[in-house]
């Protein structure tokens, strides 16, 4: 069992350098013979002592590091005790001092952790606010920007906007705004209405116009046409109602999907949007045929029914 | 928010407040595994002028290193690297 030792010597300064080396070699010989290996030899030379030893103020210091079994070192100690020229000697086992290094390393790791923690926390805290505002304004801007074009666009532009899903708004809103600027001029000339006005009001206005036209033209033809049209219109209206219901269903399904994603404001507007094109489709049909009064009365009822169906669906 | 501390209950004999740096083990700071008795100049800062070993509560060394230090100082004294006692009269 080899262990690491350090042997320290203080040799009498009156001895010659050659004799001091002989003492060194005699010790190393004993170590090497007993399966020991010499790792390092420190010669400090003559050095002043901190206090006088045997009335000498100087000493020759020699330090020898060895890996050797304990029996050999006991022999070395015996030899040094008998030697009169060695004033002091010391033997230290270096393994003893390295025994508890594991505990020390654990302690040092703990020290590093406590020293590093506050720096990492500061970085995380500084990173959080930078990420948070990036998300926040995007959410806030969407509801603010959308309602601005949605009331403005006239009846014609709305079918363009309907199929569009709500999330891809930014590019499409720009298109809608351009279209609205062109179409608003046309619409203002024709209709002079606000978009917020409900379907019933629009129909009432149309009735007044249609009445002015129809009363002049149709008074002569009423007798002939009424007989024909009452039969035809009932058939046509039934077909139209079926077609419109299908359209409304398709539109309502599209309108209901974004409801889940977005706020409550948008679907309310789209319900209005669904009502308005229905009124528009009625426009070209009315002036063609004379008995518009009957149609409008019937269509008002139907539109109400459609709206109810749309709401229920 | 810096809030002014509430004045504690006025005591008739107020304690004196001493301010001092927190002590730490200088050997642990330098990551020294064991203390060598041959480096007498480093041991000098843990010895009084009279040659006494300073206690750990004064220097702040940890228990592990204080044990080694006291042993190393005694070994250095044996090898005439440090004085046992320094007489004041000179």
């Amino acid at each position: 069992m080899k262990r690491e030792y350090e042997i320290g010597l203080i040799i009498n300064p009156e001895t010659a350098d050659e004799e001091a080396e002989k003492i060194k070699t005699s010790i190393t010989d004993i170590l090497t013979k007993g399966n020991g290996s010499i790792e390092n030899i420190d010669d400090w030379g003559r050095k002043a002592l901190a206090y006088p030893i045997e009335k000498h103020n100087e000493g020759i210091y020699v330090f020898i590091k060895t890996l050797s079994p304990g029996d050999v070192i006991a022999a070395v100690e015996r030899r040094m005790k008998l030697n009169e020229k060695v004033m002091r000697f010391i033997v230290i086992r270096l393994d003893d001092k390295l025994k508890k290094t594991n505990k020390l390393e654990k302690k040092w790791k703990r020290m590093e952790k406590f020293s590093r923690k506050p720096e990492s926390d500061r970085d995380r805290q500084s990173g959080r606010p930078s990420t948070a505002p990036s998300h926040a304004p995007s959410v806030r801007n969407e509801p603010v920007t959308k309602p601005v074009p949605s009331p403005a666009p006239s009846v014609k532009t709305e079918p363009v906007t309907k199929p569009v899903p709500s999330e891809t708004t930014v590019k499409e809103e720009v298109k809608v705004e351009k279209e609205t600027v062109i179409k608003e001029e046309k619409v203002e000339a024709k209709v002079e209405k606000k978009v917020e006005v409900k379907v019933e009001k629009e129909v009432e206005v149309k009735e007044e116009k249609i009445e002015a036209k129809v009363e002049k033209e149709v008074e002569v033809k009423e007798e002939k046409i009424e007989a024909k049209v009452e039969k035809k219109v009932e058939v046509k209206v039934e077909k139209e109602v079926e077609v419109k219901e299908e359209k409304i269903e398709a539109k309502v399904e599209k309108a209901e999907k974004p409801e889940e994603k977005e706020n409550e404001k948008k679907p309310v507007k789209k319900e209005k949007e669904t009502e308005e094109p229905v009124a528009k489709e009625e426009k070209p049909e009315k002036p063609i045929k004379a008995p518009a009064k009957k149609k409008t009365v019937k269509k008002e009822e139907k539109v109400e029914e459609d709206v109810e169906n749309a709401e229920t669906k | 928010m810096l809030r002014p501390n509430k004045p504690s209950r006025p005591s008739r004999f107020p304690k004196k407040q001493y301010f001092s740096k927190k002590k730490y083990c200088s050997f642990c700071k330098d990551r020294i595994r064991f203390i060598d008795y041959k480096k007498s100049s480093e041991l000098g800062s843990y010895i009084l002028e009279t040659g006494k070993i300073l206690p750990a509560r004064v220097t702040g060394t940890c228990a592990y290193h204080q044990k080694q230090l006291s042993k190393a100082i005694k070994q250095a004294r044996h090898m005439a690297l440090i004085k046992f006692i320094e007489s004041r009269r000179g």
Side-chain angles (χ1 to χ4, degrees), chain A residues 6 8 10 44 49-51 53 61 63 88-90 92 97-98 100-101 104-105 107-108 112, chain B residues 28 31-38 62 64-65 67-68 75 77-84:
Chain A
E6 195 181 38
I10 301 174
W44 287 13
L49 301 171
Y51 53 89
I53 299 169
Y61 280 83
F63 297 97
R88 290 277 167 91
F89 73 91
I90 194 170
I92 292 164
K97 294 191 175 182
L98 298 171
K100 294 180 180 175
T101 52
L104 268 184
E105 285 171 357
K107 189 183 172 185
W108 293 343
E112 287 176 359
Chain B
C28 281
R31 305 290 144 86
I32 289 168
R33 296 288 168 80
F34 70 95
I35 299 162
D36 197 354
Y37 69 95
K38 286 179 281 184
C62 63
Y64 176 83
H65 283 119
K67 248 183 204 174
Q68 280 198 359
Q75 288 167 353
R77 280 173 182 166
H78 178 72
M79 293 299 283
L81 300 169
I82 298 169
K83 284 184 180 178
F84 279 93

Side-chain angles (χ1 to χ4, degrees), chain A residues 137 139-149 173 263 265-266:
Chain A
V139 175
R140 288 172 188 169
N141 289 331
E142 288 176 358
V144 173
T145 54
K146 285 172 185 176
V148 173
E173 286 177 358
N263 296 326
K265 294 179 181 178
K266 292 172 183 177

